[in-house]
Amino acid sequence: MVNYKDLGLVNTREMFAKAVDGGYAIPAFNFNNMEQLQAIIKACAETKSPVILQVSSGARKYANQTLLRYMAEGAVEYAKELGWEHPQICLHLDHGDTFELCKSCVDFGFSSVMIDGSSLPYEENIALTKKVVEYAHQYDVTVEAELGVLAGVEDDVVAEESHYTKPEEVIDFATRTGCDSLAISIGTSHGAYKFKPEQCTRDPKTGKLVPPPLAFNVLEEVEKKLPGFPIVLHGSSSVPQEYVDIINTHGGNLPDAVGIPEDQLRKAAKSAVCKINIDSDSRLAFTAAVRKVLAEKPGEFDPRKYCGPARDEMVKLYKHKIIEVLGSDGKAE
Ligand SMILES: [Zn+2]
């Protein structure tokens, strides 16, 4: 048993309370490797932003859970080395799908876990979430739950059809499960292909897809039912077209990749939404930088020469999100 407090990590409770009051959102960035983690910590240290480091079950398979935990522990020390006096770093399991997985993360030093029972019938989602909450709260680990289904593909999470969260269910769900935050579905989606072309319109000037707007009416209804309760948005990458273009002009092929416009996320961050998950944008930044170096310098074979620029590009991306989209800069001095 490893307690996250001994690793210098924090849970989400205080982070979210401040974010709800302050009208901003905490960035939740996924990481799978050293360069991504370095970029996240550097961006957060330079902007003094609290951060949620997310580990998906796919990341646990890719990078090994023991190594990931030590990396998060190292991240706290690295943040201090960078001059961030009081780093507020949460280590969070993204899309836990079983009690056993959540328990193993709690036992392994995670400070927060998500139990995603959103694909289960309502009562089963409640029972599973409640079981995880009861276990996690014994160790002061916070729990995110989900109601409603997001479309798209993210590691092991695949859903063909999305349906919005039903606002009439949220009070009952939050009360009976005791969860600390709730991921809702208002039209965001996992992956770099968030919408099918037939769901979008096309900008006549650029030929690029324009996605449908988020269902802010659903978000407002949820806020009315649960005033001040921390709400989470998954699948909230914006799929920057400059990265898609760099990828496509340097040997890649991502036709019609489209995300959530940043002005909509900015609007959401000012509401009860206090955690916004961003994963695909960092993958795109990494891939664009790597493709560019390899296309321009075919003789390059030192991974540091293409992973280094990829890391620099991710730092830029994370800082942009923190300052321009989430508003979390300066909230963790
Ligand atoms: Zn997700």
Side-chain angles (χ1 to χ4, degrees), residues 34-54:
M34 182 188 75
E35 284 80 4
Q36 250 179 334
L37 183 61
Q38 287 175 315
I40 294 168
I41 298 303
K42 192 158 189 278
C44 292
E46 287 177 7
T47 57
K48 302 286 190 288
S49 168
V51 66
I52 296 168
L53 295 174
Q54 299 207 130

Side-chain angles (χ1 to χ4, degrees), residues 94-95 150 154 190 234-235 277:
D94 192 19
H95 289 286
L150 271 70
E154 182 193 41
H190 290 125
H234 281 240
N277 292 7

Side-chain angles (χ1 to χ4, degrees), residues 195 211-212 214 237-238 259-266:
F195 304 100
L214 297 180
S237 279
S238 296
I260 313 294
E262 289 187 338
D263 58 334
Q264 296 199 27
L265 297 171
R266 207 174 292 127

Side-chain angles (χ1 to χ4, degrees), residues 208 239-249 288 313 317 320:
K208 301 273 190 196
V239 187
Q241 290 302 303
E242 58 268 33
Y243 292 144
V244 174
D245 291 344
I246 292 171
I247 290 169
N248 287 343
T249 53
E313 198 56 53
L317 171 88
H320 166 77

